[in-house]
Amino acid sequence: MFTDDKKGIVYHVSTLQKRIFKIIHEQVSKEFGIHPGQVPMLFIIEKKPGISQKEIADALNIEPGTVAVMLKRMEKSGLILRTTDERDRRVLRVHLTQKAKDALFYIKDVLANLESKILSTLQESEQEMFLKVIEKINKKLDEEFPLREREVKC
């Protein structure tokens, strides 16, 4: 429980997420002009080259129209290529460019350093407990508030 003088877990998790996004934005945007919201999309496309826009929307649990706008910006920035599916011309397949692959290499390094800094504030036993608690919370929230039924696991 929380009171006016003691903030609750939602406040702290939200603040932590905002801080992490700000750090990623400052470091990644300078180098590659990538917004933090585009980072998960890059990882999904890397894992499944040729993924459709609809599959990306399902994986990120966002509207297909939002994905289309994001991909248009990413294409304009030279991060992705969209090609028409050979079997179904209504479907666009998404691929990373070399620029995006270079960016992902850099992003992975930024994320690894950030995670290391975050975990360095905790002792090893606290790190393990912290991860277990986060996994437990995520599992419970997933049971109570599931994402889309057709979510794609990437």
Side-chain angles (χ1 to χ4, degrees):
M1 223 42 180
F2 62 93
T3 61
D4 287 341
D5 57 337
K6 185 178 180 191
K7 306 284 193 238
I9 189 168
V10 173
Y11 169 83
H12 289 290
V13 170
S14 177
T15 302
L16 182 60
Q17 180 198 19
K18 288 176 192 175
R19 185 168 288 135
I20 289 169
F21 258 57
K22 185 175 188 250
I23 292 166
I24 293 169
H25 179 67
E26 287 172 353
Q27 293 188 21
V28 174
S29 184
K30 286 178 191 172
E31 286 293 317
F32 294 96
I34 296 172
H35 186 275
Q38 296 172 334
V39 173
M41 195 176 292
L42 290 173
F43 279 112
I44 288 169
I45 300 166
E46 178 189 45
K47 190 167 187 174
K48 190 174 178 188
I51 190 170
S52 72
Q53 290 183 193
K54 183 181 179 331
E55 290 172 311
I56 293 170
D58 288 342
L60 292 174
N61 201 37
I62 59 177
E63 295 298 319
T66 303
V67 170
V69 170
M70 291 175 73
L71 289 176
K72 186 175 184 176
R73 287 183 187 143
M74 292 169 73
E75 190 172 39
K76 196 173 186 176
S77 297
L79 295 168
I80 58 121
L81 295 172
R82 292 187 285 184
T83 59
T84 305
D85 186 284
E86 293 176 5
R87 287 179 251 141
D88 185 347
R89 305 207 48 81
R90 297 170 296 174
V91 176
L92 291 175
R93 299 287 172 188
V94 184
H95 302 271
L96 297 177
T97 63
Q98 188 59 49
K99 179 180 177 180
K101 292 174 185 175
D102 293 343
L104 275 171
F105 183 81
Y106 180 80
I107 291 166
K108 288 174 185 177
D109 189 50
V110 167
L111 293 175
N113 287 331
L114 181 55
E115 185 164 323
S116 178
K117 285 179 184 172
I118 291 168
L119 292 177
S120 72
T121 64
L122 304 172
Q123 295 176 2
E124 192 171 329
S125 61
E126 291 174 315
Q127 291 177 17
E128 292 171 15
M129 181 58 76
F130 180 67
L131 291 172
K132 285 180 184 176
V133 168
I134 289 175
E135 289 169 357
K136 186 176 182 179
I137 292 169
N138 268 324
K139 183 178 179 189
K140 180 66 174 172
L141 288 175
D142 194 41
E143 290 169 3
E144 301 247 346
F145 306 99
L147 299 174
R148 289 184 184 171
E149 291 179 20
R150 296 180 294 133
E151 182 180 349
V152 177
K153 300 292 183 190
C154 288

